[in-house]
Amino acid sequence: MTFLHRNRALLAFVGLFLVGSLVQTPLYDVPRLTMEVPEHKSVRRKAQEKSIHDNTKRDADGCYHVFIDVGANIGVHGRFLLEPEKYPEATVAHSVFNNMFGKPETRDNRDFCVFEIEANPRQRKKIQPKADAYAKMGWRYEFMNVAASDHIGIMEFNHNRDSASEEWGFSIKQLKELNSGTEQVPTIRLADWVTEHVAKRKLPQKLYGEYAPESGPKILMKMDIEGSEYVVLPDMITSGAMCELDFVFGELHPKFAPITFPETEDGAKTVRLRDRDEATEYGKSLLSVINNARNCKTTFKILDDETYLHDGMPLPGQEES
């Protein structure tokens, strides 16, 4: 009996939860990135009603548009958004950003927040200098050195000897012929963080760029988490967090099958994908639910932009005179 036959009930349950109001789980204790921001002025009544009476400080308070880079690697996608002129060959990313937020000449980086979520602690030395340089510009580009998951806890990740590729393969999957060590990485429940810290954010009083008034504030996500998407996506769907996003692009990784996600201490069930075909079909089913649910605005497309693997572009203040 295949994984999909054994889990038809799960997929039906996923579809059911996408219709109507969804129950949200309580906020967990996440790394605090909150910055002081002014109280927002109504830009879209629905957003105002969600936050005007709530004094909770959230990581995305004061952000009009939000880009969440889940599986950020060295954090270059955030740079594609903030400094597009330095990356002319990143055409896939530019197309996504332009469709979501308008062209660069009408955007202003002070209206954006970029969250770079990356599990690999070795990438701090690549991402944190970007965050520091952009902070000096008044731009919000935040590094979160945690793993995206469907629960709070600790997960073991593997360094898979691909430093020449900026450790693209840092993953829960151990590639035995390449493994060069493990890391114990703290996890966040991504669905909770999106719901509580981004979707419920207080919008800014003032906008600096020019955006189509009918479009309103946007939340864009890139997801490239080397196999963990097979537990993160179902949790995002059933919690309702997925439908808070306007657009998601990224990759699935059936090549990592067989892959097992063991039962967690808080009761999350074991998920086991036995081979590449099973993982492929499961991934297709998840995307079908996301893209075809009538009461969910979100679209997920298989896209990525792997140009500028090593970045190589100077940060603001480092350009040659």
Side-chain angles (χ1 to χ4, degrees):
M1 183 180 295
T2 69
F3 179 87
L4 292 177
H5 282 95
R6 287 184 280 109
N7 288 273
R8 282 179 175 168
L10 170 62
L11 295 177
F13 181 70
V14 165
L16 176 63
F17 264 74
L18 280 170
V19 181
S21 298
L22 304 177
V23 176
Q24 298 173 357
T25 54
L27 176 64
Y28 48 84
D29 186 15
V30 297
R32 299 300 300 172
L33 304 175
T34 309
M35 300 169 66
E36 290 297 325
V37 295
E39 289 298 315
H40 83 272
K41 178 180 178 181
S42 177
V43 178
R44 188 172 62 177
R45 181 167 299 277
K46 185 176 180 181
Q48 183 188 45
E49 290 171 351
K50 288 167 65 176
S51 62
I52 194 167
H53 300 301
D54 188 348
N55 294 322
T56 303
K57 289 189 176 182
R58 295 183 166 88
D59 292 341
D61 277 349
C63 311
Y64 187 68
H65 294 308
V66 178
F67 172 48
I68 309 168
D69 188 359
V70 188
N73 191 247
I74 63 170
V76 73
H77 280 75
R79 299 202 70 192
F80 293 163
L81 172 63
L82 298 176
E83 300 186 272
E85 70 282 356
K86 292 182 179 179
Y87 302 92
E89 295 179 19
T91 55
V92 173
H94 293 329
S95 176
V96 172
F97 294 143
N98 293 349
N99 286 336
M100 285 293 299
F101 306 126
K103 294 184 178 180
E105 54 266 29
T106 66
R107 304 192 305 245
D108 190 299
N109 289 342
R110 290 172 291 181
D111 300 325
F112 288 80
C113 288
V114 175
F115 294 96
E116 300 287 352
I117 300 176
E118 172 54 43
N120 190 345
R122 294 182 184 176
Q123 301 298 14
R124 177 176 290 278
K125 65 180 183 292
K126 300 287 184 73
I127 301 177
Q128 192 59 52
K130 298 177 176 68
D132 295 340
Y134 289 147
K136 293 177 181 178
M137 302 289 292
W139 304 344
R140 292 178 60 180
Y141 174 106
E142 307 283 359
F143 174 41
M144 297 174 64
N145 189 192
V146 293
S149 184
D150 62 343
H151 68 285
I152 306 161
I154 300 291
M155 290 177 64
E156 184 172 275
F157 280 73
N158 297 274
H159 292 283
N160 283 312
R161 246 183 236 169
D162 56 350
S163 58
S165 299
E166 301 289 359
E167 290 210 68
W168 271 354
F170 185 73
S171 170
I172 58 171
K173 178 71 175 183
Q174 180 176 336
L175 305 178
K176 293 183 179 178
E177 70 277 13
L178 297 175
N179 184 262
S180 60
T182 61
E183 295 273 4
Q184 300 294 313
V185 179
T187 68
I188 61 169
R189 187 178 180 188
L190 184 63
D192 280 351
W193 182 80
V194 166
T195 299
E196 297 296 333
H197 280 274
V198 181
K200 294 181 180 180
R201 70 194 184 280
K202 293 178 174 67
L203 299 176
Q205 290 183 323
K206 178 180 179 181
L207 291 179
Y208 296 91
E210 297 180 2
Y211 311 99
E214 68 277 5
S215 65
K218 298 293 185 185
I219 306 173
L220 171 66
M221 178 179 286
K222 188 213 89 182
M223 180 176 287
D224 189 357
I225 49 177
E226 306 301 322
S228 292
E229 65 272 12
Y230 293 113
V231 290
V232 172
L233 286 178
D235 191 49
M236 292 282 289
I237 294 169
T238 57
S239 68
M242 180 61 67
C243 298
E244 300 287 0
L245 309 175
D246 292 280
F247 188 81
V248 186
F249 68 104
E251 295 184 336
L252 306 183
H253 299 82
K255 65 182 179 182
F256 282 170
I259 189 169
T260 299
F261 301 87
E263 181 178 350
T264 66
E265 292 182 359
D266 53 0
K269 297 178 291 188
T270 299
V271 173
R272 182 175 293 108
L273 298 168
R274 295 179 300 178
D275 55 41
R276 185 170 186 151
D277 289 344
E278 195 166 73
T280 297
E281 291 305 311
Y282 187 50
K284 287 179 180 179
S285 298
L286 292 171
L287 296 192
S288 179
V289 169
I290 295 168
N291 291 326
N292 293 295
R294 301 195 328 170
N295 293 314
C296 185
K297 63 184 176 181
T298 311
T299 298
F300 190 124
K301 287 193 176 181
I302 300 297
L303 294 171
D304 199 5
D305 197 323
E306 296 178 345
T307 55
Y308 302 94
L309 167 63
H310 303 292
D311 193 347
M313 296 295 127
L315 290 165
Q318 296 178 349
E319 293 91 343
E320 295 181 0
S321 56

